[in-house]
Amino acid sequence: MNRRRGGVTLTLLCAMAVLGAPGLAGTAYAAPEPPSAQNRPEKSLEQVRKEIEDLYRQAGTATDAYNQAVADSKRQSDQIVALAKQIAAGQDRITVLKNRAGAAARAQYRSGGLPPAAQLAMSEDPTRFLDGADRLRQGEKATADTLTELNKTQADLEQYAKDATAHWQELEANRLKQEAAKNEVEKKIKAAEELESKLEAEEKARLLQLEQEAQYEAQKAWLNSGALKDVKGTATEAGKKAVQFATAQIGKPYVWGAEGPNGFDCSGLTSQAWLAAGKGIPRTSQEQLRLLKKVPLKEMRPGDLIIYFDDASHVAMYVGDGAMVHAPRPGRKVTMAGAGSMPIKAVVRPEA
């Protein structure tokens, strides 16, 4: 039974670019027969394909760095805003405490500033004096408490100011990282596009065919390894919502750094899909790998995320039947592909 299922799955999606309809989760992942191996191109075109693929991989890594710098900058900005509010509240509190301490000082001045023993000697009514002395002691304690709180509030303000300065420095550092990553992404994409621009129309078509053949062969090898044999997990309600969102984006362009609604990069698609399912997850594929729960491949279920390559530079969403949906790279659109069409590093579960 497992072999029959693997056989159906094996008829992969070399031409999945023509898929444009959402709602593919739960549908058997059928695909066209493998592209013909006849008339294979000269080695130079295959080398060009690998070089372009490598450039886009590097662009993907730089995109992850850019997205992380953006996320870090937002976090620093939020912390600076929170500190600014604390500083403003602390300054208001200091004003109140200073007014309270000033009122106590003025009251003492009006009493002549005499020590309690002298006031007792001069009092015509000792009982009345003793009541007043008790209130005086209470007032002195309140004044001491006010001064203690005033000193603590001032110390807190100094710490808030130091923290704010540190966050500003980190914000600037992240801005520089963001700019450097942006330049790296654009440089790699430009280099890849320049390589493609030198090809004739027929070569470009053949290049796409080579890309599809490479994916097909990788998926076939993955299935033949028995990797899918024990994968029988079913999607949870949240997982179904995430899959529905992701597959509804099929046909939209890959746009690096984008989180929709008109375009996505790989982790922008997966993070927004799970946000639509009611679960916020990290923005980048590397952080998704680091912070989400890892699950064995045999326990994989629709909605889980598949992290690819040793540097965790790509991520896709498993949709069942050996297929995944992802935003591949610049120049491509959100599509479905074989879950094993790229080297799998790990499977992670947002719901855990």
Side-chain angles (χ1 to χ4, degrees):
M1 179 64 179
N2 287 330
R3 183 167 295 278
R4 289 185 58 196
R5 182 167 179 258
V8 173
T9 307
L10 183 57
T11 55
L12 242 199
L13 47 36
C14 300
M16 282 312 296
V18 300
L19 281 177
L24 294 172
T27 301
Y29 190 56
E33 290 299 321
S36 173
Q38 63 184 0
N39 299 322
R40 287 198 178 276
E42 61 277 12
K43 185 177 180 181
S44 60
L45 189 57
E46 173 64 10
Q47 289 175 330
V48 169
R49 182 193 71 79
K50 289 183 177 179
E51 188 174 350
I52 290 173
E53 183 180 274
D54 187 54
L55 285 168
Y56 279 127
R57 280 267 329 276
Q58 293 175 44
T61 301
T63 297
D64 225 33
Y66 172 85
N67 291 335
Q68 188 60 52
V70 170
D72 289 342
S73 293
K74 183 181 184 304
R75 185 173 63 254
Q76 297 299 335
S77 295
D78 291 344
Q79 289 172 329
I80 289 170
V81 170
L83 284 169
K85 291 179 180 178
Q86 289 177 306
I87 289 171
Q91 289 172 334
D92 290 344
R93 184 61 181 161
I94 283 177
T95 299
V96 171
L97 293 171
K98 284 184 175 179
N99 289 340
R100 186 182 299 170
R106 289 191 295 273
Q108 185 178 12
Y109 176 78
R110 285 195 297 271
S111 71
L114 293 174
Q119 293 183 38
L120 175 60
M122 297 174 62
S123 174
E124 296 178 357
D125 186 349
T127 302
R128 183 179 177 185
F129 166 74
L130 291 173
D131 291 340
D134 185 59
R135 289 194 296 272
L136 179 62
R137 283 193 297 273
Q138 293 175 8
E140 288 175 342
K141 182 179 184 304
T143 300
D145 290 345
T146 297
L147 293 175
T148 298
E149 185 177 355
L150 179 61
N151 290 333
K152 182 180 183 306
T153 304
Q154 288 175 327
D156 287 343
L157 282 180
E158 291 177 4
Q159 187 60 52
Y160 294 156
K162 290 179 182 178
D163 291 345
T165 299
H167 286 309
W168 274 115
Q169 292 172 343
E170 289 184 39
L171 184 65
E172 176 62 13
N174 285 323
R175 186 191 68 77
L176 294 175
K177 289 179 184 177
Q178 186 175 326
E179 187 64 25
K182 178 176 181 289
N183 292 337
E184 183 70 8
V185 172
E186 292 175 341
K187 182 176 74 174
K188 297 300 182 183
I189 291 177
K190 182 179 179 182
E193 290 175 342
E194 286 179 350
L195 275 176
E196 287 189 274
S197 69
K198 296 175 182 178
L199 301 176
E200 300 294 335
E202 290 183 0
E203 290 177 311
K204 290 179 180 179
R206 180 58 184 151
L207 196 67
L208 177 59
Q209 185 181 6
L210 284 173
E211 181 181 312
Q212 292 169 344
E213 287 179 357
Q215 292 174 358
Y216 173 84
E217 292 300 327
Q219 175 75 353
K220 184 173 71 171
W222 183 66
L223 292 173
N224 287 342
S225 72
L228 198 62
K229 182 179 64 174
D230 297 321
V231 178
K232 302 172 183 177
T234 57
T236 62
E237 287 304 312
K240 290 177 183 177
K241 290 179 181 178
V243 169
Q244 287 169 356
F245 179 93
T247 53
Q249 312 313 311
I250 289 176
K252 292 184 179 181
Y254 177 104
V255 179
W256 74 268
E259 299 176 88
N262 299 318
F264 298 86
D265 61 21
C266 65
S267 58
L269 177 65
T270 54
S271 60
Q272 288 301 302
W274 271 103
L275 188 61
K279 173 72 175 179
I281 64 172
R283 170 64 176 88
T284 69
S285 57
Q286 292 174 348
E287 287 296 280
Q288 288 169 4
L289 172 65
R290 187 173 74 87
L291 296 175
L292 299 181
K293 180 183 177 181
K294 297 177 181 64
V295 296
L297 185 66
K298 65 180 181 180
E299 296 179 15
M300 182 168 61
R301 67 191 186 199
D304 286 346
L305 306 183
I306 306 176
I307 309 296
Y308 292 98
F309 304 112
D310 287 340
D311 60 358
S313 57
H314 192 69
V315 61
M317 179 176 291
Y318 184 63
V319 297
D321 292 322
M324 55 83 161
V325 61
H326 70 148
R329 65 165 177 80
R332 298 288 184 262
K333 297 178 180 180
V334 176
T335 188
M336 289 185 70
S341 58
M342 293 177 288
I344 296 175
K345 181 176 181 65
V347 177
V348 296
R349 179 162 294 162
E351 293 176 279

